[in-house]
Amino acid sequence: MLTKKRYSVKDMVLWTRKETFFYLFYAGVITVLYKVFGFTFLNVPWTPVALIGTAVAFMIGFQNNSAYGRIWEARKIWGAIVNTSRTWGMKVQDMVSNAHAPNPVSESVIKEEKRILVYRHVAWMTALRYAMRTRKSWETQHTSQTNREWRDMIHIPEEVSSLDDNLKLYLSDEERHYVMSKPNKQTALLYLQSAHIRKLKDVGLIWEFAFLELENVLEELFTHQGKSERIKNFPYPRQYASLSLYLTRVFALLLPFGLIPEFADIGQSMTDSFFLIGKYFIWVAVPFCAVVSWAFHTMERMARVGENPFEGTSNDVPISTISRGIEIDMRQMLDEDESIIPSQFPEEKHVQM
Amino acid sequence: MLTKKRYSVKDMVLWTRKETFFYLFYAGVITVLYKVFGFTFLNVPWTPVALIGTAVAFMIGFQNNSAYGRIWEARKIWGAIVNTSRTWGMKVQDMVSNAHAPNPVSESVIKEEKRILVYRHVAWMTALRYAMRTRKSWETQHTSQTNREWRDMIHIPEEVSSLDDNLKLYLSDEERHYVMSKPNKQTALLYLQSAHIRKLKDVGLIWEFAFLELENVLEELFTHQGKSERIKNFPYPRQYASLSLYLTRVFALLLPFGLIPEFADIGQSMTDSFFLIGKYFIWVAVPFCAVVSWAFHTMERMARVGENPFEGTSNDVPISTISRGIEIDMRQMLDEDESIIPSQFPEEKHVQM
Amino acid sequence: MLTKKRYSVKDMVLWTRKETFFYLFYAGVITVLYKVFGFTFLNVPWTPVALIGTAVAFMIGFQNNSAYGRIWEARKIWGAIVNTSRTWGMKVQDMVSNAHAPNPVSESVIKEEKRILVYRHVAWMTALRYAMRTRKSWETQHTSQTNREWRDMIHIPEEVSSLDDNLKLYLSDEERHYVMSKPNKQTALLYLQSAHIRKLKDVGLIWEFAFLELENVLEELFTHQGKSERIKNFPYPRQYASLSLYLTRVFALLLPFGLIPEFADIGQSMTDSFFLIGKYFIWVAVPFCAVVSWAFHTMERMARVGENPFEGTSNDVPISTISRGIEIDMRQMLDEDESIIPSQFPEEKHVQM
Amino acid sequence: MLTKKRYSVKDMVLWTRKETFFYLFYAGVITVLYKVFGFTFLNVPWTPVALIGTAVAFMIGFQNNSAYGRIWEARKIWGAIVNTSRTWGMKVQDMVSNAHAPNPVSESVIKEEKRILVYRHVAWMTALRYAMRTRKSWETQHTSQTNREWRDMIHIPEEVSSLDDNLKLYLSDEERHYVMSKPNKQTALLYLQSAHIRKLKDVGLIWEFAFLELENVLEELFTHQGKSERIKNFPYPRQYASLSLYLTRVFALLLPFGLIPEFADIGQSMTDSFFLIGKYFIWVAVPFCAVVSWAFHTMERMARVGENPFEGTSNDVPISTISRGIEIDMRQMLDEDESIIPSQFPEEKHVQM
Amino acid sequence: MLTKKRYSVKDMVLWTRKETFFYLFYAGVITVLYKVFGFTFLNVPWTPVALIGTAVAFMIGFQNNSAYGRIWEARKIWGAIVNTSRTWGMKVQDMVSNAHAPNPVSESVIKEEKRILVYRHVAWMTALRYAMRTRKSWETQHTSQTNREWRDMIHIPEEVSSLDDNLKLYLSDEERHYVMSKPNKQTALLYLQSAHIRKLKDVGLIWEFAFLELENVLEELFTHQGKSERIKNFPYPRQYASLSLYLTRVFALLLPFGLIPEFADIGQSMTDSFFLIGKYFIWVAVPFCAVVSWAFHTMERMARVGENPFEGTSNDVPISTISRGIEIDMRQMLDEDESIIPSQFPEEKHVQM
């Protein structure tokens, strides 16, 4: 997530330079053919091209809307993870106790149980964010060079260190090996949580009705996890993505044929007063076509890069930061020493990951 | 669900070749009449045609939006099935126990009860996905040849083996016969689940309050099932679908009458410099009309194929895969041997079913 | 609800024949005045007419969207009734029992209580669907002849037999008389359900906590009922409906004045080559105007017929079928003999009511 | 809420007569200047004016959409109040009882307690609807004369009698004085309900767990109340409302300058055949400009009057009727004599308040 | 939040004066070049510029829609805080009692406990609103002078006094120091609430099941808090904001090149009748271009200022007022003396903060 006011003009120009050059080149070629070779038959009526343009604007508008919907939904889900995490922290804090225990245990034992429940929760969030940053077959933003340049400036925490290393901080070795052996690690962790609180219930450290409440918190976490996985595993329907792309391209291909003759006419009409300028006026069509194509192309590309909010781009939902923020929060509430609590991931190039 | 970046140009061209040829042919006929037979009276003003085009773009835009809404809602429902399935697994795991049993039973009996509850859940998902893939009277994508070609390349698991065969893996014979005798098999299965946990409650293997919780999980499953059936049983309102189709066709029918004269004019104006090209320039109208009609037709067709997310096309919500994924998940949590757990359905042609 | 692929061209033509004739006639009159009487001053600039057309397309687009929203919401509510009905069946089945009864009763008594609870539920659904099919002062589709033709081909179950006759099948005479004496019969039935389960709770046939659960199911039924009544009792705001209608008409009224002169010009320009055709070309404006007006009018009319999803048209949400489906479902689960379970309402002309 | 099919043409014409006259006058003045004074330089190109028109149509479209959203949400909230009111009635009916009372009381005492709980609920609804009909500083529809004419034809129940008088029917004098002394009367009433059921719980007339259920019903009522207050207290953001209004006006101001010259041209072109008509043809621009301006203005005004669904216009959500309907419902369920139950508020001019 | 009917024309003119002058100046320069220097080659065809205009209107329309969505969601969240606060007040009032206390305490002790729970809740709301008014790196409205002028006329309560001073009114010194030492003060306060009710449960002043209910109210507060923080911490995606801005600017830059030649033509055509006016007519293009640019720019700017509903502008969601309103409400319900209850924040310049 970009955290500054906006992308600078320079950012935009650099990011879109490839298509800009392509459109300049393409319009240039048509203009050369039209003007230099005199192929003035490279000419289609402008108004149907504009009609296609309107229809394309419509399609891309909806696509951008959907992409925004996906980003916003993803952010909502991770916001809900924040809320339920805090609830988990609070309920664990105040529902694990000797109040109903037939054989009360010492305060330090209770504290340790709470610590384990909180650490395992952090492990779950960690496993989930690693799962979100894996690559899907339709996530191909990194194949474009201008996207890769952005990627190279920022460091995705999930690519810097491995999940296994991270889990060492939160789980016993036994549990860690068990979890790493399962394909869906986050699910395994929630099952472990449930087994743990059940054990605590069986020895009376959790009241039976509090146990039901805590199970329902775990149910909620399953829901958030599943929603996050749904967005990861189900792309914006490829048929719509394909259609937008191809329609935009059809429009961009037809554009110079519709515009260059109009510039030629204008140039023609000014040859009396400005002979030289009139003669070369048609070349203004080149940047002009490029601008129009660029506008449509960039709208379409914006929709494309926004589709997958966990792909590892600078426009991602910042799940590493959110997850780490919660970890800090929960560990502070355990009254841990500040020195052992990790610090937040730094922003690079104003990008929060 | 297509899992690659996008449909290739070749895919699109092949898939839409029939209408492409038709539009080329239609525009060709009008051009022949106009040019060869000299029927230059085949001419209507372009701007009202463009106005219809704008209105049609509007209608189709909304239809695509609705179709996307249906797909996304279907995916959400199946995502919720995933979440509630995991919750069911977790709660069964930790709520079936001897804790409140007046006459405790052996661990293996408890384990077997859990297994039955989980397997019957898989049976429910299986029955549901078979129900989703049956054919409705308004699901007619398979009648189009170019759609059928796609269908033939992929194998819909529900068409490869029968429900009865599948249920053998999860249910006792008695239960299976009972279930197969009911019209709505998935409902019957949930009733069986409820009767089962009630029996367990009566003998004390499920605490009475845990029984209420589990009943509420079943209630949720009824909700997901009902939502999925709702999308299956209630098509996008046919009146809107009809209107979009007919308006698109009216637009495509009028288009050449509006465009060919414009090309004729342009051709006329260039006969001085390029006699031959000017003479034949009108024929450029043929591909051009086809491109515009193709764009509108394809947008409309995209909406049409997207309407029914369980119809068995390459754009379906991948319910077989989701369902099988959960089965694998739940059985791994039962600590079953990997060798008896089925593997995921393979992707064919990058299509996940 | 239409259950076939789409309305046929014939259906559409017949259904809209009145306005088609009107628009042909209207455009004809203007053309006669323009051409025969030579009133060529019947002429307004086309572009502002097109701008109104664009604005109207906008308004109608939103209206169709809202109408679709209402249909879809209505369908969701009745889908939720399906789900909660199944839940009611399941919970009644497994929560009415001797488990907590101080004085256990025979199984047949329990079975009878369950039967009454299920039959009264069917009575509730029946009362609700009759309430939904009554006529509201803004439901006037039946006043249009072409709509009435459709109505006459199908039989609305709620108009074929009376509610009182239907309730005889599900309620004791005493209860039936009581219910029929209340203005809101469905509400009275839910109050009866609540009083019944309370009585069962008092004698111990329902556990006190299960009683709370069942009360909450009744609460949910109140919610679904209220939502369905809300859509019935609150039309699409009449001010918006009025505005769309009048704007569409203003547009259709202005249209020929904008278009006929354009056809006149085209005709003029071809008199050299085709004298006769050029002379009569202006008459092409008549069908052309009618097509454009028809397109806008039909979009507006589609929105209008879709506004009220329980009005008794072929586009209604099929509440009779849904309700009967649930009845069959629930009675099969009571293991009733198939011979006494009613069959589904038949589809007529591919319309499910 | 209007309950007839639509506003009549006469209603619309009368309601918008002021702006119609203004636009006629304005276009008339420009035409006089153009034609009579010969200021033909009052001329701007039409196409950019049309572009502004398109953008304005967009803005107003969204505004109408939002206004509809507010109306619909308001209606949903009051629908939810209906549902929760019925639930309250049902639960009070079946949860206040001697079942857990250590010292059982007579049936008539219980009945009286129920009556008080139901009457106080009606008092709450009454207080809420009075609160909804107070005037906010941004509710200024009554300042327009044509709106006031509509207002004068209908009688808003909340303006006919005072809240204090109404509350006399439902509350003891002591409670009424207490409630009237609080700024937010509806909140005070719910606090009283809670204190009452708590007292009943303390003496055992409400089971402790039923008490929790009833508290949750009160929580829901707080939610509905708060949502209704939110819509009342938070207008459609004034910056958007201002922008739509000013853009519409800018468009209407520019319109004649763009259109009159076009009519002048058309008139010019017909002077040969119809000298007199051609000479005066430009005057057709006056009604034509007025029609276009009227269309845009009325769309914008529709959005404006729809913004505040509790403002006391004929398009309001009919909260008086809804509230009274529930009162009748609930008192019938108390088996009160029909003679003491109030009747529904009458519709006036087909407007339900 | 502005509470009057709308921004006055004067407000709008002043607020947008900078861009108005800029656009006047820019169009003036081009016109000078075109007319005075005779650079008539500063000329591009108008229709593609209009197409860009249409696409931009689309983008800005969606952006405004999203901005409105954010404002409305923020208002909903704070409305929900109102509701849950009242619920908290009600439940604390009626669930803290001697009913289950093994060692009953005096009424004044109970009253004091309730007071603490309510005051701490007010402290939570206060901490939350201070958190909402801190500045984010993408909140840059205050950097624009015309925005700052508005800011200077109103006083944001959170900038007038410090959080620490405010908390003194609601918390003991010990708790205050503890809370102020935590980064997320509102979270810490809810943890304290939970610990407090747990303590009350342990001594029997809260029934164990009521404790679970109250924990769930705290869970809800965590949810509202988290949602509010989500909107604060996650801006409207900067890539979309950047794109809208740059597209609007591209459009505004191209506009004069498309329009001035059209005015030049019109001026040309009137030189015969009005020589002087015709000669200078082109200068009308300057205000006209400025009007069109102003319309688009202001739409875009409206979207921009609406993005962040807690930024401290006159269009903010009025969280100070809402929060103070609830405080007054809750303290009145504690039957505190009016003299110690604070009064509502005053409106300044019709702006509620």
Side-chain angles (χ1 to χ4, degrees), chain C residues 104-118:
Chain C
V105 299
S106 73
E107 267 312 301
S108 69
V109 169
I110 285 178
K111 206 170 162 189
E112 177 61 12
E113 297 290 357
K114 288 177 185 172
R115 193 199 59 77
I116 293 173
L117 286 167
V118 167

Side-chain angles (χ1 to χ4, degrees), chain A residues 29-74:
Chain A
V29 164
I30 310 282
T31 311
V32 164
L33 291 174
Y34 191 97
K35 181 74 184 175
V36 180
F37 292 77
F39 291 177
T40 52
F41 51 82
L42 295 172
N43 185 342
V44 300
W46 159 253
T47 47
V49 175
L51 177 63
I52 294 184
T54 305
V56 169
F58 234 85
M59 286 299 283
I60 299 178
F62 279 124
Q63 197 187 355
N64 266 301
N65 220 27
S66 299
Y68 172 64
R70 284 171 67 89
I71 294 175
W72 194 231
E73 194 184 351

Side-chain angles (χ1 to χ4, degrees), chain E residues 127-327:
Chain E
L128 187 55
R129 69 178 161 92
Y130 271 85
M132 290 300 103
R133 300 276 200 212
T134 54
R135 184 150 299 153
K136 290 284 162 186
S137 48
W138 53 84
E139 293 179 352
T140 55
Q141 292 306 318
H142 61 281
T143 58
S144 140
Q145 191 197 321
T146 47
N147 289 336
R148 220 162 41 233
E149 285 164 12
W150 268 96
R151 258 184 114 84
D152 291 348
M153 286 190 289
I154 54 181
H155 295 87
I156 304 168
E158 287 73 27
E159 297 183 351
V160 167
S161 61
S162 77
L163 173 60
D164 196 47
D165 283 350
N166 270 270
L167 290 187
K168 275 183 191 144
L169 304 167
Y170 310 117
L171 296 177
S172 69
D173 277 3
E174 190 194 0
E175 285 198 349
R176 181 165 54 85
H177 291 309
Y178 174 75
V179 166
M180 292 302 292
S181 77
K182 298 284 179 186
N184 190 320
K185 289 146 191 68
Q186 52 275 30
T187 300
L189 279 158
L190 289 186
Y191 273 101
L192 285 178
Q193 291 285 54
S194 175
H196 189 180
I197 59 173
R198 182 217 170 162
K199 222 179 58 195
L200 293 176
K201 180 208 67 171
D202 284 346
V203 300
L205 289 179
I206 293 178
W207 181 37
E208 295 198 72
F209 290 97
F211 167 72
L212 297 183
E213 291 288 318
L214 289 171
E215 285 280 293
N216 288 337
V217 179
L218 293 180
E219 178 171 0
E220 246 178 81
L221 293 174
F222 265 134
T223 304
H224 303 329
Q225 170 192 326
K227 284 180 175 174
S228 192
E229 289 170 354
R230 159 166 58 79
I231 289 189
K232 181 74 185 178
N233 294 331
F234 193 70
Y236 181 73
R238 306 324 297 155
Q239 68 268 35
Y240 294 122
S242 310
L243 187 61
S244 289
L245 186 87
Y246 293 131
L247 286 182
T248 309
R249 289 195 178 162
V250 163
F251 172 69
L253 281 181
L254 293 176
L255 192 68
F257 298 100
L259 280 184
I260 290 168
E262 302 224 359
F263 278 88
D265 287 356
I266 295 175
Q268 197 66 38
S269 72
M270 58 179 63
T271 37
D272 293 346
S273 14
F274 302 89
F275 179 70
L276 273 183
I277 291 177
K279 195 171 163 196
Y280 293 113
F281 185 75
I282 194 174
W283 297 99
V284 175
V286 176
F288 191 81
C289 283
V291 161
V292 178
S293 297
W294 176 90
F296 278 78
H297 185 108
T298 307
M299 282 196 281
E300 194 274 336
R301 190 170 169 196
M302 277 298 178
R304 236 184 310 142
V305 298
E307 271 170 14
N308 300 311
F310 304 123
E311 190 170 354
T313 75
S314 59
N315 299 318
D316 265 28
V317 170
I319 57 176
S320 312
T321 304
I322 293 173
S323 175
R324 178 59 54 94
I326 284 293
E327 178 181 355

Side-chain angles (χ1 to χ4, degrees), chain E residues 50-67:
Chain E
L51 177 64
I52 294 183
T54 305
V56 169
F58 233 85
M59 286 299 284
I60 299 178
F62 280 124
Q63 198 187 356
N64 267 301
N65 220 28
S66 299

Side-chain angles (χ1 to χ4, degrees), chain B residues 51-98:
Chain B
L51 177 64
I52 294 183
T54 305
V56 169
F58 233 85
M59 286 300 283
I60 299 178
F62 280 124
Q63 198 186 354
N64 267 301
N65 219 28
S66 299
Y68 173 62
R70 284 171 67 90
I71 295 175
W72 193 232
E73 193 184 351
R75 185 58 185 83
K76 274 186 169 171
I77 294 164
W78 279 81
I81 288 177
V82 169
N83 305 341
T84 312
S85 295
R86 285 170 178 166
T87 301
W88 177 255
M90 176 186 75
K91 289 196 169 172
V92 161
Q93 199 65 39
D94 291 314
M95 289 183 180
V96 179
S97 79
N98 276 319

